Amino acid sequence: MTDAERSQILEQRLDMVRERIAAACARSGRRAEDVTLIAVSKTVSPRVAGLSAKLGQLDLGESRPQELWRKAEALKALPIRWHMIGHLQRNKVERTLASVQVIHSVDSLRLLEEIAEQGSRQSLRPRLLLQVNASRENQKYGFELDEVADLFPKVQSLPVEITGLMTMAALSSDPDVARTAFRALRQIFDDANREGAQLTQLSMGMSGDFEIAIEEGATMVRVGSTLFEGLEAE
Ligand SMILES: *Cc1c(COP(=O)(O)O)cnc(C)c1O
């Protein structure tokens, strides 16, 4: 497959995903421009990620810090907004902060404190989402739903901008499983805002469930395989 062919396939898939986002917004009385599509490029080479950016899809997500650094370096000529969406070890914070627009996957207080410290060293005010374990399934990373309310008073003085919450629904063929998790995240988002937090972003929904997530209030959807399947060649 040539890059021209890859680009054509990607363009069609981006159009299709954007149409599905618009339709989900219409169904739920929301505006399509209130939902940001993040193309998760973790399975493809920097070159293919770059094709996506050249098609105007500038929000790209990566789940491994080293891979994010590698792609950000290779594609630094393009105005890409990189989103860190996977587990971030504390010893990788320093280098990640320099390349990233938003970290979606702040999953512990220790990580949050490390980001705050490195951020002030680099004179940055990092934009962060707290990752929440909103499904009943025992997930490896993320705050528990009932931890979030207590967290905000503790972190208010840190020099970071916590703009929202992120979750991943459990894999299931039953769409109600995802809907229940998304609704639970929306609930604690609303609760936190009622208590004075100023959250605007809900990062939820992937290839299999992004329309449900939009119906439940997602402002950022993270779509990988639907866009990049079959385009992985280095
Ligand atoms: C890989 C990944 C995605 C995208 O998943 P797809 O099912 O391929 O769309 C979204 N969010 C996170 C955190 C991921 O790791």
Side-chain angles (χ1 to χ4, degrees), residues 46-108:
R47 222 185 55 256
V48 175
L51 294 178
S52 160
K54 286 175 197 149
L55 290 166
Q57 176 57 44
L58 293 170
D59 286 283
L60 297 183
E62 285 288 328
S63 59
R64 289 169 188 273
Q66 281 109 326
E67 184 60 19
L68 188 148
W69 306 341
R70 179 170 88 105
K71 286 194 174 103
E73 175 60 28
L75 299 172
K76 64 184 172 203
L78 295 167
I80 294 169
R81 295 179 290 268
W82 290 104
H83 297 256
M84 178 66 210
I85 62 172
H87 180 61
L88 179 61
Q89 300 90 334
R90 282 177 298 148
N91 63 1
K92 302 209 169 64
V93 167
E94 184 177 6
R95 185 141 175 219
T96 300
L97 282 182
S99 326
V100 88
Q101 182 87 10
V102 188
I103 300 172
H104 293 231
S105 43
V106 179
D107 54 14
S108 72

Side-chain angles (χ1 to χ4, degrees), residues 40 42 63 85 166 168 206-207 222-225:
V40 178
K42 66 187 180 192
S63 59
I85 62 172
M166 178 271 225
M168 266 190 284
M206 320 200 321
S207 288
R222 310 177 308 267
V223 178
S225 50

Side-chain angles (χ1 to χ4, degrees), residues 211-230:
E211 288 144 309
I212 298 171
I214 290 169
E215 289 168 12
E216 298 301 329
T219 65
M220 292 170 151
V221 293
R222 310 177 308 267
V223 178
S225 50
T226 294
L227 294 172
F228 292 111
E229 201 151 56

